[in-house]
Amino acid sequence: MKYNIAVVPGDGIGPEVIGETLKVLDRIGEKYGHEFNYTKVLAGGCAIDEKGEPLPEETVKICKESDAVLLGAVGGWKWDTLPGDQRPEMALLGLRKQLGLFANLRPALLFDELAAACPLKAEIVSGGLDLVVVRELTGGIYFGERGHKQTDMGEAAYDVEQYSVGEITRIAEVAFDMAMKRNKKVTSVDKANVLESSRLWRKTVTEVAEKYPEVTLEHLYVDNAVMQIIRDPKQFDVIVTSNIFGDILSDGASQVTGSIGMLPSASLATGNFGMYEPVHGSAPDLAGTDKANPMATILSAAMMLRYTFGLLEEADAIENAVKKVLADKYRTPDIMLNEKDPASCKEIGTKEAGDLIAANI
Ligand code: IPM
Ligand code: MN
């Protein structure tokens, strides 16, 4: 089969982790007889430098015409002083909105091989950890009305959090469908004791739950949820939440797995189309040092094979190759950091990690 993939290397470590991921995808193509065609496009800071805007129209067009999008990371110090609507991050938000990617899946999986990298006590995560944050991605405060106005306390700025029943329903359905294939538990996270938008969220999720009698639904306030993720993360199966709460909770959950450098994500539209990217950012301090962990992006490519292309065996092959490299005690610096017995491990760079994973397919 032939697959057309729009590739957005982006900024900072983006191009490096994408380079290793394409190496791994090419190996998959070779082994399983698929042809992956890549069209590289500009988005983020590099697009600002070359085209004068973070998300050129041409980029959106090519992404829309592709079967899937693979993205590294965008942003960096260089563009940090630009006005809000011209920052590299606008590329990401624009892609999410214009491609209709309303459902963001962020699995937090603690690999057995990395159990020692988890900062929690061993008994808290014994038997492994496997939860997924389903984050609403095209609504809420990220896309609500925003602006500045004068008040009697001086200039004020505001960003509006708003959710419709339709938006809540479709993201809740994604979460419940996912729970049906997993451990049949959904935890909906909101701030319904304070926010009107959260009260509508809670009511709507509760209504959706009626269509899924086999799934247990629980509601948590976001402040409590963050505490529970650290206290007892194994209680969770699927967490469904708003754009901003999902942003915060998924970073929290990532630390429990040892390193954000291990976490992939999928952003899905209706149908099979999706954009795949690591949860981590562009880490400008690591750019060009061969120190970045490419595994989050490589695992994102595995999600692309699974969710958009339906290539389950190929997706498993990538995940197993990552596990094998970890079992062989290879560690990029981010996962070496928490290693209990570093002397037994071998530190590797970005390129060697990509080579080893490809070699294990
Ligand atoms: C993420 C990132 C983005 C977000 C930023 C870079 C706009 O933190 O994907 O989690 O807040 O959604
Ligand atoms: Mn984030």
Side-chain angles (χ1 to χ4, degrees):
M1 282 287 281
K2 276 191 185 175
Y3 301 95
N4 293 318
I5 304 169
V7 177
V8 190
D11 309 314
I13 59 171
E16 293 160 63
V17 295
I18 283 287
E20 298 316 305
T21 303
L22 300 188
K23 212 185 251 177
V24 171
L25 277 174
D26 285 341
R27 174 70 194 121
I28 289 283
E30 187 184 25
K31 172 148 184 200
Y32 293 89
H34 304 300
E35 192 182 318
F36 297 115
N37 297 319
Y38 312 116
T39 310
K40 288 206 181 162
V41 290
L42 289 172
C46 57
I48 296 175
D49 290 350
E50 277 188 44
K51 305 269 175 189
E53 51 179 337
L55 184 59
E57 220 165 275
E58 163 92 344
T59 295
V60 179
K61 183 168 173 281
I62 291 172
C63 290
K64 280 187 178 164
E65 288 166 1
S66 301
D67 299 316
V69 183
L70 186 66
L71 184 142
V74 299
W77 305 311
K78 186 176 172 191
W79 308 280
D80 268 352
T81 50
L82 289 171
D85 57 345
Q86 293 162 35
R87 290 177 60 104
E89 287 79 2
M90 287 314 289
L92 211 46
L93 301 188
L95 281 170
R96 289 172 181 172
K97 193 70 171 182
Q98 294 188 54
L99 301 175
L101 307 169
F102 71 90
N104 184 213
L105 315 183
R106 296 188 162 184
L109 191 73
L110 179 60
F111 288 88
D112 291 344
E113 294 79 5
L114 289 186
C118 173
L120 301 181
K121 285 190 188 128
E123 58 264 33
I124 296 179
V125 287
S126 75
L129 171 74
D130 179 4
L131 64 86
V132 56
V133 177
V134 176
R135 170 188 178 193
E136 200 291 325
L137 204 60
T138 51
I141 197 165
Y142 273 58
F143 294 95
E145 192 193 324
R146 66 179 95 247
H148 288 244
K149 63 180 178 189
Q150 284 305 320
T151 72
D152 56 9
M153 299 284 282
E155 184 189 359
Y158 58 93
D159 303 87
V160 174
E161 170 85 340
Q162 172 180 308
Y163 270 110
S164 65
V165 170
E167 289 173 304
I168 303 166
T169 301
R170 67 180 181 180
I171 192 70
E173 284 170 354
V174 170
F176 281 96
D177 287 340
M178 178 140 286
M180 282 300 287
K181 294 188 217 143
R182 296 172 44 103
N183 294 321
K184 300 199 167 75
K185 181 175 176 194
V186 169
T187 305
S188 174
V189 174
D190 62 35
K191 187 72 187 170
N193 50 344
V194 177
L195 304 177
E196 201 57 32
S197 53
S198 278
R199 286 189 273 273
L200 185 65
W201 179 281
R202 189 173 281 224
K203 176 169 173 278
T204 308
V205 173
T206 306
E207 281 162 15
V208 172
E210 286 169 17
K211 291 185 287 183
Y212 299 85
E214 286 176 53
V215 178
T216 308
L217 170 64
E218 169 189 85
H219 300 278
L220 285 184
Y221 297 139
V222 63
D223 47 353
N224 186 14
V226 93
M227 188 164 76
Q228 297 301 332
I229 285 177
I230 297 164
R231 194 188 68 85
D232 177 21
K234 276 170 57 181
Q235 69 182 283
F236 296 109
D237 178 23
V238 177
I239 294 176
V240 64
T241 191
S242 64
N243 205 339
I244 191 156
F245 293 162
D247 179 45
I248 298 165
L249 290 180
S250 59
D251 269 36
S254 80
Q255 271 310 293
V256 172
T257 71
S259 169
I260 197 167
M262 294 299 302
L263 286 208
S265 83
S267 304
L268 305 175
T270 317
N272 293 329
F273 187 80
M275 180 165 92
Y276 298 84
E277 57 176 310
V279 170
H280 64 69
S282 61
D285 52 327
L286 294 184
T289 64
D290 195 44
K291 289 205 164 90
N293 184 349
M295 294 183 201
T297 315
I298 292 170
L299 292 168
S300 300
M303 291 183 89
M304 174 176 77
L305 298 184
R306 180 171 294 123
Y307 291 108
T308 294
F309 303 156
L311 300 174
L312 309 186
E313 197 185 322
E314 290 84 339
D316 287 346
I318 293 184
E319 288 165 0
N320 289 334
V322 170
K323 281 187 201 148
K324 179 71 170 68
V325 168
L326 296 174
D328 288 345
K329 300 261 170 194
Y330 292 104
R331 300 284 185 270
T332 45
D334 59 313
I335 45 180
M336 188 64 126
L337 209 63
N338 296 317
E339 192 50 59
K340 290 236 166 56
D341 181 18
S344 71
C345 299
K346 284 159 269 186
E347 187 158 312
I348 55 171
T350 312
K351 288 205 182 73
E352 198 178 349
D355 287 341
L356 286 166
I357 293 165
N360 274 289
I361 289 170

